Amino acid sequence: MKSLIALTCLLLTPLIAAVKPNVIVIIADDCTYSDLAIHGGQNAKTPNIDSLAKQGTIFDRAYLGMAMCAPSRSELYTGRLPLRNGCAWNQGTSRPGTKSMPHLLGDLGYRVGLAGKSHVQPASVYPFENVPGYDENCVNNPTRPNDTAGVKNFITRDDAQPFCLVVALTEPHAPWVMGDASAYPPKSLKLPANFADTPMTRQSFSRYLAEVTYMDNQVGELLALLETTKKASDTLVLFTSEQGAQFPGNKWTNWDTGLHTSLVARWPGVVPAGRRTPALVQYADVLPTLMDLAGGKPDASAFDGASFAPVLRGEGDRHREFVYGMHNNYPEGPPYPIRSISNGDWRYIRNLSPEKLYIEKHMMGRDEHNPYWSTWMFRSTEDAHALHMVQRYMHRPAEELYHTAEDRFEMTNLATDPAHAETKARLAAALDRSLTDQLDPGVPLDTPSAFEASQKQKPVFPGKP
């Protein structure tokens, strides 16, 4: 009997895959991938994400190009890296004329909506249908209660037309005010290796973890809605955690805990359940993949990404050779440009202005959302690890090389180790090829004048045409 069922599933899979799937993309906001239980997190309780993962496939090596909200989302929605779509700063705008998810999936017969946080512009590049019910402001205190009625109306409005809906949640973005922090007693938490251990850090981490669980509850509501509307079987669900959380060393960096994202996919009968894949994928690959699944033929010259549909279907575990990262610090702080590359095992980072101190004004200023940085500074006078974390964050060498597969939090820089010179040279050469391909000018991009030009939608450095 089991063999007959397996044969039936095998025969039916091509038929199911030939049907255009509905799509729901659920985006958490500033959630470090390694804090989730499915990626080895030891604190956060996320039963709904855990259940989704058991029903689908976990991508162990998924990345985004910039660890900031606007650039990462612009990459996800356009299939183009930040410099190429024009949004290479956290408050930047994409280049007029750029095509995004609403245009390209709309051309394939989809209605395309967005509920919650947008943080991308201009509207002509991102003409999502607005779906009500979720807070659009990630710093509201408290977050406004969500209502799934708008989502239900959108996904059930026309059974004859497939839908693609992005639900962009605002948790666990700071301020961490939602959820039950009492479920995470500060003294019992296991802090990540790249944290300095102070009472304020533990209190903040407790509140952040409460928001992670609050976010997980929202994921559960959406999954339950798919079941009650009988849309679950023909809907591809993608969950992603976006960039790292607003703790030093995560968001606004090119370290793994900044650029590495969680990606989970579920599509019953098509995406294998209970599977993990080491395939290397990047946000720029998502839109070409959705177009491929919808029956389109993505033009390779129009994207920095490519379809990983075969990986989704369980037909292989390889996709791209490298993933790329960049950081332009202005206007989040004084200019501090960074470029990076990873093959999933190793990460090479190039700090273009190593003579400068790295300063991120939200993280290090007197921001009510981040009261813990000053405690790291204070503790650094008597705690060697705290001192190392402060120095690591503020003063960075020209080159960094990490064996991420063995050094998860990238604490040991091997850039000057002769034993790894060949690895560094290989990654550096590949990064150079990418920067040339993107027409990346480097240091001049991370300047007030370049940012201001981008705001006027007249970028000085247009990137790859």
Side-chain angles (χ1 to χ4, degrees):
M1 179 62 72
K2 289 183 178 179
S3 60
L4 178 60
I5 294 174
L7 178 60
T8 302
C9 291
L10 182 64
L11 293 174
L12 287 177
T13 295
L15 299 177
I16 297 172
V19 177
K20 292 183 179 182
N22 298 313
V23 180
I24 284 190
V25 182
I26 306 172
I27 307 176
D29 196 352
D30 287 8
C31 180
T32 307
Y33 91 101
S34 56
D35 289 329
L36 298 176
I38 60 172
H39 297 292
Q42 298 179 295
N43 299 285
K45 301 173 181 67
T46 52
N48 295 296
I49 295 171
D50 297 349
S51 178
L52 178 69
K54 290 177 181 177
Q55 299 166 20
T57 292
I58 300 170
F59 284 77
D60 284 325
R61 294 175 171 177
Y63 297 84
L64 36 78
M66 290 186 78
M68 296 187 285
C69 293
S72 68
R73 290 162 195 252
S74 73
E75 178 189 359
L76 180 66
Y77 300 152
T78 67
R80 298 181 174 204
L81 292 172
L83 180 56
R84 191 177 182 198
N85 76 58
C87 184
W89 305 263
N90 197 31
Q91 307 300 330
T93 63
S94 292
R95 191 170 299 110
T98 301
K99 300 296 183 182
S100 70
M101 194 177 284
H103 301 109
L104 297 171
L105 290 182
D107 289 344
L108 294 172
Y110 280 71
R111 62 180 184 275
V112 184
L114 187 149
K117 177 177 174 177
S118 171
H119 209 162
V120 287
Q121 55 180 327
S124 61
V125 173
Y126 301 101
F128 288 96
E129 177 182 336
N130 181 54
V131 177
Y134 287 80
D135 201 340
E136 300 177 9
N137 188 340
C138 61
V139 296
N140 273 338
N141 182 2
T143 300
R144 296 170 184 167
N146 62 280
D147 182 351
T148 59
V151 171
K152 182 179 181 180
N153 177 67
F154 180 82
I155 68 177
T156 60
R157 192 169 68 208
D158 183 357
D159 289 338
Q161 183 185 27
F163 64 80
C164 176
L165 174 64
V166 176
V167 182
L169 307 174
T170 57
E171 273 77 38
H173 192 291
W176 300 309
V177 294
M178 305 304 291
D180 179 13
S182 70
Y184 297 100
K187 292 183 179 180
S188 66
L189 299 177
K190 298 178 180 178
L191 294 183
N194 59 346
F195 279 26
D197 191 349
T198 69
M200 182 63 73
T201 302
R202 287 182 170 274
Q203 292 172 19
S204 297
F205 195 48
S206 169
R207 294 195 298 270
Y208 157 75
L209 292 169
E211 285 221 351
V212 172
T213 297
Y214 183 89
M215 175 271 294
D216 179 78
N217 290 335
Q218 294 176 301
V219 172
E221 291 175 352
L222 291 166
L223 297 178
L225 182 62
L226 288 176
E227 294 291 341
T228 59
T229 56
K230 302 187 185 307
K231 296 291 185 181
S233 63
D234 57 3
T235 299
L236 168 64
V237 176
L238 294 176
F239 166 80
T240 180
S241 61
E242 205 198 39
Q243 66 264 340
Q246 201 162 300
F247 286 98
N250 300 341
K251 186 179 181 180
W252 298 304
T253 78
N254 269 208
W255 287 314
D256 194 72
T257 47
L259 294 173
H260 200 150
T261 190
S262 178
L263 183 64
V264 180
R266 185 192 75 179
W267 183 9
V270 179
V271 174
R275 171 174 171 253
R276 307 188 79 103
T277 176
L280 200 62
V281 300
Q282 183 149 355
Y283 263 12
D285 298 320
V286 171
L287 180 56
T289 301
L290 298 181
M291 294 175 65
D292 188 3
L293 295 174
K297 295 182 179 179
D299 179 0
S301 66
F303 300 101
D304 292 308
S307 172
F308 55 81
V311 177
L312 273 179
R313 292 190 289 261
E315 298 167 4
D317 283 318
R318 293 186 62 84
H319 181 56
R320 57 164 64 233
E321 185 177 5
F322 301 111
V323 289
Y324 305 97
M326 72 183 304
H327 180 72
N328 294 311
N329 204 46
Y330 190 85
E332 306 302 308
Y336 198 95
I338 307 169
R339 305 294 184 264
S340 68
I341 185 172
S342 173
N343 65 4
D345 286 326
W346 291 84
R347 176 178 306 280
Y348 171 73
I349 299 174
R350 189 177 293 162
N351 298 302
L352 306 187
S353 300
E355 73 283 358
K356 297 181 179 179
L357 287 178
Y358 178 81
I359 298 171
E360 204 294 317
K361 63 185 181 183
H362 304 291
M363 186 69 62
M364 302 165 71
R366 294 180 60 113
D367 192 318
E368 63 184 35
H369 302 165
N370 307 294
Y372 41 80
W373 173 254
S374 62
T375 71
W376 288 30
M377 297 281 285
F378 191 84
R379 180 62 62 87
S380 69
T381 61
E382 56 192 36
D383 184 302
H385 180 69
L387 177 61
H388 179 49
M389 292 301 94
V390 170
Q391 292 177 330
R392 174 181 185 256
Y393 194 66
M394 295 185 67
H395 187 69
R396 307 180 191 180
E399 294 180 299
E400 300 173 65
L401 178 70
Y402 300 101
H403 194 180
T404 314
E406 295 184 359
D407 179 14
R408 188 181 193 193
F409 290 94
E410 297 179 337
M411 304 297 287
T412 303
N413 182 11
L414 301 171
T416 59
D417 188 336
H420 303 295
E422 183 178 345
T423 297
K424 185 179 80 169
R426 183 172 67 252
L427 291 173
L431 177 60
D432 286 338
R433 290 192 295 270
S434 174
L435 298 179
T436 298
D437 178 67
Q438 289 285 309
L439 303 182
D440 188 337
V443 172
L445 192 65
D446 193 5
T447 58
S449 59
F451 171 73
E452 290 164 7
S454 78
Q455 290 292 85
K456 298 175 183 177
Q457 299 182 10
K458 297 179 180 179
V460 176
F461 305 106
K464 183 179 177 181

